Structure formats: C-alpha cells, structure tokens
Amino acid sequence: MAYSRGIRLPPMPKVSDLLRLYGLSAQKQLSQNFILDLNVTDKISKVSDVFDCYVCEVGSGPGSLTRSLLHAGARHVAAVEIDKRFLPSLQVCTFNHVYVLRHAFYIKLSFPFIAVIPGVRMVGNLPFNVSIPLLLQWLEAIPQRAGPFAFGRTPLSLVFQKEVAENITADAKSYNRSRLTIMVQYLCEVKKKYILPSSVFVPKPKVDAALVHLVPRVEPLISVPFAIVEQIVKAVFSMRRKYIHTPLRRLFPDREHLVDDLLRLADVNAEQRAHEMTMEDFDKLCSAYLELATTLNLPLQPQKMNKPRLVADMMEFNEANGME
C-alpha cells in the first residue's frame, strides 16, 4: 500500500507576522483564542492522526493549525473559517492543498473532493462559545450518517475548555457526568488526550483547555432515535440532586402517575441520581419511554428543546450589528 509523504511547505511568513501585516486580532465577542506556537499545533496534528487523510479543520483562524496539519502529511485540508478577516492569511496556504471555505453550514459541509477517500478527519481549535453547539450538531448527524459522517465513522479531534472536556469524558458514577456526557458517550468513544494550558493561547483565556478525541461507535449504546434520547437525558439532569423519579415527571405533564409505570417497565432503580445512572439504565429508560408513549399515544417530545443557533447564523448576526 503506497503512502504519501508529508507535504514540504515552501518558506512562508510566520502567522504572527501575517497578523501584524493585516492588522488582525482576536475578537472577544467571537470567543477567539489562537494557538500561534507551531510546537503545540504540531502536537495536535500528530495526535489527530491526519497522515494521508482528507481533513476538515473547523475554526482555522489565522492558519497555525492548518500549516501543522499539512506538515503532518494531510492529503488535503478544508479550512472552514466564517470570520472573513482571516481569509488573506489562510490564502497563503491555498497552493498547498488547502481549500478555504467561508460561511459553511458546518453540519451540511460537503467536501470539494469526491475521489476515493482513504480517510477523513475533523480537527479544530473551536471558539469556546460555539464549541458545544457545534458538537451537538455533529452528534445529531452521526445516526443520520449526514455531513462529515456520510463518509463513515469520521474521527474528531477538538479543543474544548477543560471543564467541558471533563464533562465529555467523565466516567460512570462521576459527579462530572452531565447531559453532554451521555449525549456524547452513547454515540462516541471518547478520550481526553492532553491539557492545553491557557498560556499557549493568544490572547490568554481565563481557563485551561484540553484536546478531546472522539470516534463514532459502530453501534450506539442507546437504541432509540436521537430526539428521544435528548428528551430523557434533559429530564433526568434537570434536577440532578434529586432521585430520578422526581425530574422524570417532566415527561408527563398532568399525568405524573405514569412515572411509576415508566420505571417499572424500564426496570431501573428510581432511588438514584442522574450522574449515578449507567448507560444501560439510560438505554432501558429510553426504550421504555418510547414504548409507553407509543402505546398511550403520548407526545414523543413533550419538552421544548432549546436548540443552539447555527454558527453561520451567529456570524451573520454579528456582522449585521457591526461586530466584525
């Protein structure tokens, strides 16, 4: 099997020089924090296993990580950046197998290469304020086999705030477990790779970050539609200090007695709190709710879900209000 060598880039200006040349700086309202140290971005690229792969880099900013992905041997990089100020800096790399995409609706991102795909990777130093909305959009796409997951079990290597990373990777019974923990882990195998101290970012944020590696599972650990899982997980974690019997009432407005039927059908211990539940408990609870709701003709989604705004919409809102 033939392997391509890492792409050798011709001498290019330093990213810090490009920032000065174009008068660019991070914008607080967009939660931008850059990693300009190539030693750090090289390490992220190595951990992300991008050699000979097609890579979608989300939130490319001035292009430090873009360069490291190329140095690590990525076959092509689709650099997704919705802040148009950084396009000149990214275009320095365009002759080196980089496609620069702006205002791409991330969940429907279509790669501009449709030849035989040896492997696809999602990599990104995500702006902290959109990292969870983006992750939730991608999670919903996994069972639909949509967006980047139309190619298969596309791995993701993403930078999150340290606290968010700890939620995503929390072990069973850990108090760090949250709604996000369950939504991620029932669909993906996850691993926290290493901590990124706040000092590596420009400007320096108030908190540390962490690189998290996610790989979609062959089969989800919960065997019901994504929307049903959302309903159960939201209800259970809405009152995380209470035993689950109490918050589950949210699923049955005006018919709270059905909670007992649900727990009996699921064969789940009612005297446990949300973070104490196993993934098997969630699977049984979700399946039982789907069966009960179908039998009694109850609404499958009784709770309103506050879906995050699409990232492209957020950028357009900022531009319309003079926040570029």
Side-chain angles (χ1 to χ4, degrees):
M1 183 176 182
Y3 292 95
S4 65
R5 296 180 179 179
I7 297 173
R8 178 171 296 181
L9 302 180
M12 291 190 293
K14 293 182 179 179
V15 174
S16 56
D17 292 338
L18 288 173
L19 291 175
R20 283 193 292 270
L21 176 64
Y22 293 108
L24 301 175
S25 61
Q27 290 196 348
K28 185 175 181 180
Q29 63 266 33
L30 296 181
S31 192
Q32 293 174 332
N33 299 95
F34 310 134
I35 304 175
L36 302 182
D37 187 340
L38 291 180
N39 292 318
V40 178
T41 54
D42 284 348
K43 186 174 181 180
I44 293 173
S45 299
K46 182 178 180 180
V47 170
S48 301
D49 186 28
V50 300
F51 182 77
D52 204 31
C53 290
Y54 294 97
V55 179
C56 175
E57 183 202 358
V58 182
S60 304
S64 302
L65 182 54
T66 313
R67 297 184 185 199
S68 290
L69 292 169
L70 292 169
H71 278 296
R75 180 172 292 193
H76 289 281
V77 177
V80 181
E81 178 52 60
I82 60 177
D83 187 344
K84 66 183 180 183
R85 298 178 305 137
F86 293 108
L87 295 186
S89 177
L90 288 171
Q91 285 167 349
V92 172
C93 299
T94 54
F95 57 87
N96 282 300
H97 304 272
V98 175
Y99 301 92
V100 181
L101 308 175
R102 181 176 181 267
H103 277 284
F105 178 18
Y106 291 167
I107 201 63
K108 295 183 178 178
L109 177 64
S110 296
F111 288 84
F113 29 79
I114 54 176
V116 176
I117 307 292
V120 177
R121 301 288 185 270
M122 297 280 286
V123 183
N125 171 29
L126 305 178
F128 291 160
N129 68 337
V130 298
S131 61
I132 294 178
L134 277 176
L135 180 58
L136 292 174
Q137 290 176 37
W138 289 326
L139 290 175
E140 190 167 5
I142 291 175
Q144 298 172 0
R145 302 194 180 192
F149 308 104
F151 303 101
R153 297 165 57 220
T154 301
L156 304 94
S157 297
L158 305 171
V159 175
F160 296 96
Q161 285 179 306
K162 183 181 176 183
E163 182 180 358
V164 174
E166 289 173 347
N167 287 156
I168 291 172
T169 59
D171 295 328
K173 309 295 183 180
S174 167
Y175 198 72
N176 284 330
R177 281 165 76 83
S178 64
R179 288 172 59 185
L180 188 61
T181 310
I182 306 305
M183 297 307 297
V184 172
Q185 292 188 18
Y186 101 85
L187 289 168
C188 299
E189 299 173 5
V190 299
K191 185 174 182 180
K192 184 167 60 178
K193 287 297 187 178
Y194 60 89
I195 301 299
L196 293 163
S198 60
S199 58
V200 306
F201 294 92
V202 178
K204 180 180 176 181
K206 295 180 180 179
V207 296
D208 292 338
L211 179 69
V212 178
H213 189 63
L214 307 94
V215 181
R217 298 181 184 276
V218 176
E219 292 292 338
L221 297 182
I222 300 177
S223 53
V224 302
F226 185 88
I228 302 297
V229 182
E230 277 189 311
Q231 289 288 320
I232 297 297
V233 173
K234 177 179 180 179
V236 168
F237 278 96
S238 64
M239 303 171 70
R240 58 179 299 142
R241 295 185 180 182
K242 300 284 187 180
Y243 288 145
I244 62 173
H245 184 281
T246 300
L248 283 174
R249 294 173 185 169
R250 293 173 177 261
L251 296 173
F252 305 103
D254 304 321
R255 302 181 69 177
E256 295 179 356
H257 64 280
L258 291 177
V259 173
D260 293 327
D261 295 337
L262 174 64
L263 290 168
R264 186 165 46 251
L265 183 62
D267 190 25
V268 169
N269 178 14
E271 295 186 353
Q272 59 179 330
R273 295 174 177 84
H275 71 279
E276 297 172 327
M277 293 179 63
T278 65
M279 199 63 75
E280 183 182 2
D281 287 335
F282 278 105
D283 183 36
K284 292 193 294 184
L285 200 58
C286 290
S287 298
Y289 177 71
L290 180 58
E291 179 181 344
L292 191 64
T294 302
T295 301
L296 299 179
N297 196 28
L298 300 173
L300 293 177
Q301 301 180 51
Q303 301 174 102
K304 181 179 179 181
M305 303 301 297
N306 295 319
K307 293 288 186 179
R309 294 178 63 184
L310 300 178
V311 176
D313 291 343
M314 294 167 63
M315 187 65 188
E316 289 170 358
F317 174 83
N318 289 336
E319 290 181 352
N321 288 274
M323 299 170 65
E324 284 192 77

